[in-house]
Amino acid sequence: MESKLEQSGTATIEGNDFPVYKGTHGNDVVDIRALTKATGKFTFDPGFTSTASCESQITFIDGNEGTLLYRGYPIEQLAENTDFIESAFLLLDGELPTKEQCAKFRHDITYHTMVHEHFIKFFDGFRRDAHPMAIMCGAVGALSAFYHDSTDINDPEARKIAVHRMIAKMPTIAAMAYKYTVGQPFVYPRNDLSYTENFMHMCFSVPAEDYKVDKVLADALDKIFILHMDHEQNASTSTVRLAGSSGANPFACIAAGIACLWGPAHGGANEAALNMLEEIGSVDRIPEYVAKAKDKDDPFRLMGFGHRVYKNYDPRAKVMQKACHEVLEATGIQDPLLDVARELEKIALEDDYFVQKKLYPNIDFYSGITLRALGFPRSMFTPLFALARTVGWIAQWREMLEDPNQKIGRPRQIYTGAAKRDFIAMDKR
Ligand code: SDX
């Protein structure tokens, strides 16, 4: 990545001037790298609510407008006009691919979808009732034990192969995690299917009969994957960057990202949102749960609502809602939880508490209903998120390595523990 930081002014802190940079879009930043040397002070920003951790040229979110751009292109346009491979190329390369580039990238990914045959034995160590995310964390972390030739992060060719392997093998591993937990045999990838068709084939086909991928459903899932690909410096992407900043191999970094994504406040929210809709159960119980969500003493939150950056409707939620209707129509499923979701959204968007705090549905609000209609158990919702987000994680990992300003991530703290004191022998305590 070539740095494009341009100074647009200065900010004065305790009589010291610090450069201010303006980006293409979004907030200006104050470069405080010299702050401690000049003032002897640290900044204090738990959760990094006001901190830009890096310069990036991949994704931009305008939280107030509710817009999301992948390399400058609005997510709605990409979801409507591209497929997974095309959008993945864009995120990695920075430009939409030509027909030839797209065909070559599709081939490169397709021919890395198989996993080492010994890797399959790795799964036998898990209990059959393991959560697929637990399996994904372990299995992806173990990839570095099978693919030593793409762990040298200083070799551009090794990095390129690692990028291709990561994107290509995630669907195979996610499908294996699913098959393992349902006690069905693993299904090998097929090179004649598209990326998402192949994933559905590996999840839902069984040796006992032919399986034909439903194109309408595969297209909807492909769109859902595009929506989930990248999202600036969210918790799991920041985890991948931090792990990568120490020089850890790409497989270990992605495994760290998967672990972080699993949290219910982050990628686990799609599973939690469906659980919440089921717990509410019917439209007449919505007021009771909205009251719980507003009660400061009640830890309950509306899962699928709110966002650190979006203070407007998550643009992905709009596309997800459309995909939800398409899938329910194509499958003929009448899901009563959709009525609960729509009524909950209506009530929340009119309620002062949510309006004041600018809490809107996020990508996870409708995804659970959609993924369940596609045939996935809720334990597979976050693995699907991880599958798609691998594109963003690996693109950001590579950008971090190529960033001229990159250093090992090592935040400081404010210490409020015990003052320095001498040791007290046991018989004197
Ligand atoms: C994802 O970062 C990303 O980009 C993430 C993501 C991605 O693509 O990578 O977009 C994916 O993680 C989407 C978010 C999924 N999580 C959920 O849906 C879980 C429910 N949402 C909340 O946990 C919460 O909204 C967060 C974690 C998403 C955001 O939390 P913040 O930014 O730290 O905001 P906050 O917790 O400080 O909340 C601000 C206020 C608080 O009230 P006050 O203390 O100011 O009085 O809003 C309230 C919160 O109590 N609030 C909610 C709420 N979310 C925030 N109240 C009820 N229900 C909610 N969902």
Side-chain angles (χ1 to χ4, degrees), residues 83-330:
D83 71 359
F84 181 96
I85 290 294
E86 201 173 343
S87 276
F89 183 98
L90 170 67
L91 276 176
L92 288 166
D93 185 83
E95 297 297 334
L96 288 165
T98 62
K99 204 170 170 187
E100 295 70 26
Q101 287 173 322
C102 202
K104 173 151 184 356
F105 185 61
R106 198 180 302 280
H107 177 275
D108 289 344
I109 296 301
T110 299
Y111 284 80
H112 274 295
T113 48
M114 285 179 72
V115 292
H116 191 292
E117 198 64 9
H118 282 181
F119 182 77
I120 294 176
K121 295 184 181 12
F122 190 82
F123 284 72
D124 290 342
F126 295 109
R127 283 177 39 158
R128 282 286 178 182
D129 60 354
H131 192 291
M133 278 302 279
I135 296 176
M136 296 271 291
C137 287
V140 172
L143 284 176
S144 54
F146 291 85
Y147 298 102
H148 302 284
D149 61 336
S150 53
T151 54
D152 175 2
I153 61 162
N154 299 308
D155 171 2
E157 196 50 33
R159 287 206 297 266
K160 184 177 168 194
I161 293 173
V163 167
H164 289 170
R165 276 177 167 154
M166 216 50 267
I167 293 172
K169 295 182 193 309
M170 280 301 269
T172 310
I173 294 169
M176 291 169 77
Y178 169 60
K179 284 301 202 184
Y180 188 78
T181 57
V182 295
Q184 292 180 359
F186 297 143
V187 176
Y188 286 93
R190 274 178 39 186
N191 294 345
D192 62 322
L193 297 175
S194 75
Y195 187 87
T196 303
E197 290 168 351
N198 202 9
F199 175 65
M200 290 179 78
H201 156 71
M202 291 188 286
C203 285
F204 298 129
S205 69
V206 290
E209 58 187 25
D210 287 342
Y211 171 78
K212 187 159 172 37
V213 178
D214 180 317
K215 289 270 184 197
V216 172
L217 301 187
D219 287 351
L221 184 57
D222 200 76
K223 197 178 286 186
I224 291 167
F225 283 161
I226 291 170
L227 296 178
H228 284 83
M229 271 184 186
D230 196 44
H231 214 238
E232 287 192 4
Q233 305 312 314
N234 59 83
S236 54
T237 297
S238 299
T239 301
V240 170
R241 277 180 171 260
L242 197 55
S245 74
S246 75
N249 74 69
F251 306 111
C253 296
I254 299 300
I258 294 171
C260 177
L261 185 76
W262 195 3
H266 188 16
N270 48 24
E271 178 176 350
L274 190 67
N275 293 339
M276 173 192 74
L277 290 172
E278 264 192 346
E279 185 185 336
I280 294 173
S282 62
V283 169
D284 60 323
R285 293 190 65 197
I286 290 174
E288 170 197 341
Y289 280 84
V290 168
K292 279 168 62 71
K294 292 157 64 173
D295 178 357
K296 291 311 293 170
D297 300 326
D298 190 323
F300 173 80
R301 287 194 167 178
L302 288 187
M303 302 316 281
F305 258 81
H307 199 276
R308 170 62 56 77
V309 177
Y310 288 124
K311 300 309 171 192
N312 199 324
Y313 212 105
D314 182 338
R316 302 169 298 175
K318 287 179 184 162
V319 182
M320 179 61 78
Q321 192 183 43
K322 187 164 172 280
C324 187
H325 287 296
E326 286 167 5
V327 169
L328 291 180
E329 197 174 318

